[in-house]
Every structure is written in structure tokens, then in C-alpha cells.
């Protein structure tokens, strides 16, 4: 009988956010797959948990993913953790979960802290609908293409960003979208946690010197719904005249224009006469 894969959320800063159930699961599995074994070892030591660790990160996920799946299929239970937050969200664990799912291995989750929803909750921006866009590419062309793809996105957008790239990212966003409201959420749940609610233009100016510190989550309002111009009787009349030019009768031209503009057919008909 094969084992299970547990997807276990870990604190994004404050160790007190580690749940009793997460500690229980990590204590019960046979081994733990960790993004950085040194980071995870500190967490385990803090809670008195002793378990074998296997590294699983971006550059060894193909090789180690196969090893982990073989061990689970042989009957061992494994927990996957990231350095902070929920594994598989903008994280290499995404591939391990997909591998296990393809092999019919049971995947269970122990919910934990998530920088995405935590930042969204304190942003002060609309939370009913949102899209998580992860990290922008280091490649400038790819970054600009990504920003252009979401230029008309009306939902609130959430991005991750490293401090050394923040100045360039804010300027690229301002250039691509124009000015919008933004919440810069820094060092979530840590001692220097900070939420700056401002605009893209002001944020770009604030961090232009490139001296930002800490990990950032950027929460940005979506594009405004385009304002539709109100149709006038003159617009309806012009449309009806275009139908007359196509050979329609006055009555039929007025009828079609009425259907498309909402004006009464008789009003358009009289105007045509």
C-alpha cells in the first residue's frame, strides 16, 4: 500500500503561526521534502521534531521528485514544506503534487500562512475577486510582456517582488498601466512588518533610490471599467442613414437602428423624413 504526500504550510515569519496540526503531521511522516533543508531544520528544532530531510528545490526537482514518489509508492509518508508559506504556490512543490496526482498518490493539505491572502486582507483594496501573478521575470522583455497581458485585468492583482528589483518593477508597472492604487506589504508577520497604501507614481518615487529592504507583496487595483459613451438620437439617425445607403427602406433602416440603440423606431423614422 502506497503512502501519502502531505502539503504542509509553514510560518511566513512568526513561528507562533505554526499550527498544532502541522507539527503533528511533520512528527508522524517518514520523511520531509524541504526547499532548503537548513531553513526547515531550524523550524523542526524549534518544535522538537526529528525527521529525515530530503532537499527538493527548483534545480533538483526532476531528479528528487522521482525519488520521493518511489519512496511514497513503497509505503512511506512524506510531507513537503517550503521555506515559508504554502508549498506549491509559486513554488517547486507544484510539480511534486502534479507527479503524485498523476501516479494516483493521495495528496493531503495542512493549511497554513500564505503571503498572498494575508497581504490582500490588509491591503485595503477590493478582495472579492483577485489574481495572483507571482514573480515577474528577470528578463526585461518578458516582464513587459507579462505586464501588457494583464493591463486590462479588472481584478485586484497580487505580485511577489524582491527588494533589489522593486524600483524597476514599480516603474515598469507605472509605464505599462498608468497610475493606480497600490499596497506595498513588507515583511509580513515579522518585526518590521509594514503596509504602505499609496499610488504607483508615489511608490515609484519613494523607492527610486533602490534601497528597499525586506520581501514585498504588491497588491494593485485592477483596471477601471471603460466608460461607455451615451448613445444620442443623432447617433441612431446616423446609423439609420448608413442602412439607407445600403439599400434598406426607411422603415427597415429605422427599425434596425432602434434595435441597436434603444431609441424608438418612430422617433428615428420621423427624423429620417
Amino acid at each position: 500500500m502506497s503512502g501519502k504526500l502531505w502539503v504542509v504550510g509553514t510560518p511566513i515569519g512568526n513561528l507562533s503561526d505554526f499550527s498544532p496540526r502541522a507539527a503533528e503531521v511533520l512528527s508522524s511522516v517518514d520523511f520531509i521534502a524541504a526547499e532548503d533543508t537548513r531553513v526547515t531544520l531550524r523550524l523542526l528544532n524549534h518544535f522538537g521534531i526529528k525527521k529525515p530531510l530530503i532537499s527538493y528545490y527548483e534545480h533538483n526537482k526532476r531528479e528528487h521528485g522521482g525519488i520521493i514518489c518511489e519512496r511514497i509508492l513503497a509505503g512511506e509518508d512524506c510531507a513537503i514544506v517550503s521555506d515559508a508559506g504554502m508549498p506549491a504556490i509559486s513554488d517547486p512543490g507544484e510539480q511534486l503534487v502534479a507527479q503524485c496526482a498523476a501516479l494516483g498518490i493521495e495528496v493531503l493539505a495542512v493549511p497554513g500562512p500564505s503571503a498572498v491572502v494575508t497581504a490582500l486582507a490588509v491591503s485595503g483594496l477590493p478582495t472579492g475577486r483577485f489574481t495572483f501573478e507571482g514573480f515577474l521575470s528577470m528578463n526585461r522583455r518578458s516582464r513587459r510582456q507579462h505586464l501588457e497581458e494583464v493591463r486590462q485585468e479588472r481584478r485586484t492583482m497580487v505580485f511577489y517582488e524582491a527588494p533589489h528589483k522593486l524600483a524597476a518593477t514599480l516603474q515598469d508597472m507605472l509605464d505599462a498601466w498608468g497610475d493606480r492604487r497600490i499596497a506595498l506589504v513588507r515583511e509580513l508577520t515579522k518585526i518590521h512588518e509594514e503596509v504602505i497604501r499609496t499610488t504607483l507614481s508615489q511608490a515609484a518615487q519613494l523607492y527610486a533610490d533602490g534601497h528597499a529592504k525586506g520581501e514585498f507583496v504588491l497588491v494593485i487595483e485592477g483596471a477601471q471599467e471603460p466608460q461607455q459613451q451615451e448613445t444620442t438620437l443623432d447617433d441612431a439617425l446616423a446609423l439609420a442613414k448608413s442602412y439607407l445607403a445600403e439599400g434598406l427602406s426607411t422603415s427597415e433602416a429605422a427599425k434596425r437602428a432602434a434595435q441597436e440603440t434603444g431609441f424608438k423606431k418612430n422617433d428615428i423614422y420621423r427624423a429620417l423624413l
Side-chain angles (χ1 to χ4, degrees):
M1 183 177 179
S2 72
K4 303 179 182 68
L5 176 71
W6 291 87
V7 181
V8 180
T10 56
I12 55 178
N14 194 319
L15 291 179
S16 298
D17 293 334
F18 195 54
S19 74
R21 183 169 175 239
E24 180 184 342
V25 168
L26 293 188
S27 298
S28 68
V29 296
D30 296 292
F31 68 106
I32 298 169
E35 183 179 5
D36 186 328
T37 55
R38 296 164 299 181
V39 172
T40 299
L41 188 59
R42 288 197 292 271
L43 177 71
L44 297 181
N45 287 339
H46 182 83
F47 289 96
I49 301 170
K50 297 186 183 299
K51 286 292 169 179
L53 296 171
I54 180 173
S55 67
Y56 182 87
Y57 58 95
E58 187 63 35
H59 299 298
N60 73 1
K61 64 183 181 182
R62 190 178 300 275
E63 177 189 357
H64 281 201
I67 295 171
I68 292 167
C69 288
E70 286 178 8
R71 292 180 63 175
I72 296 175
L73 289 170
E76 293 185 77
D77 286 340
C78 173
I80 181 169
V81 297
S82 69
D83 290 348
M86 281 300 293
I89 307 300
S90 193
D91 174 82
E94 174 186 6
Q95 182 165 317
L96 182 61
V97 172
Q99 278 182 272
C100 288
L103 292 169
I105 294 171
E106 187 176 6
V107 180
L108 301 167
V110 180
S114 168
V116 179
V117 294
T118 305
L120 186 67
V122 299
S123 68
L125 292 170
T127 62
R129 299 181 67 202
F130 69 94
T131 171
F132 174 53
E133 297 294 326
F135 284 99
L136 288 169
S137 171
M138 292 283 286
N139 179 278
R140 197 163 185 82
R141 181 178 177 183
S142 297
R143 286 158 61 85
R144 289 181 171 174
Q145 182 178 350
H146 186 164
L147 294 174
E148 180 59 30
E149 286 173 358
V150 296
R151 185 166 61 87
Q152 298 299 332
E153 176 59 67
R154 294 203 184 105
R155 294 170 293 182
T156 300
M157 294 180 287
V158 184
F159 290 82
Y160 285 161
E161 194 50 281
H164 65 279
K165 295 193 302 175
L166 182 64
T169 292
L170 291 172
Q171 189 59 54
D172 284 348
M173 288 176 169
L174 181 62
D175 292 343
W177 307 331
D179 216 3
R180 297 185 185 186
R181 289 186 296 160
I182 180 174
L184 299 99
V185 187
R186 186 176 76 89
E187 294 289 271
L188 271 168
T189 78
K190 301 182 180 76
I191 294 173
H192 300 293
E193 178 177 342
E194 182 179 29
V195 182
I196 298 174
R197 301 177 185 90
T198 182
T199 61
L200 272 174
S201 60
Q202 291 174 334
Q205 186 176 357
L206 179 64
Y207 291 101
D209 61 6
H211 292 150
K213 293 181 180 179
E215 298 299 319
F216 285 81
V217 183
L218 309 179
V219 186
I220 304 143
E221 78 173 330
Q224 297 298 310
E225 190 168 352
Q227 293 183 342
Q228 295 186 355
Q229 292 184 332
E230 188 175 340
T231 304
T232 65
L233 181 59
D234 286 341
D235 296 326
L237 183 60
L239 184 61
K241 287 180 177 178
S242 71
Y243 287 136
L244 285 175
E246 293 176 9
L248 269 64
S249 67
T250 304
S251 177
E252 186 61 27
K255 179 180 177 181
R256 273 207 202 174
Q259 289 172 341
E260 294 186 32
T261 63
F263 283 91
K264 291 181 180 179
K265 173 189 171 183
N266 288 343
D267 291 342
I268 299 172
Y269 184 82
R270 283 195 293 271
L272 285 174
L273 296 177

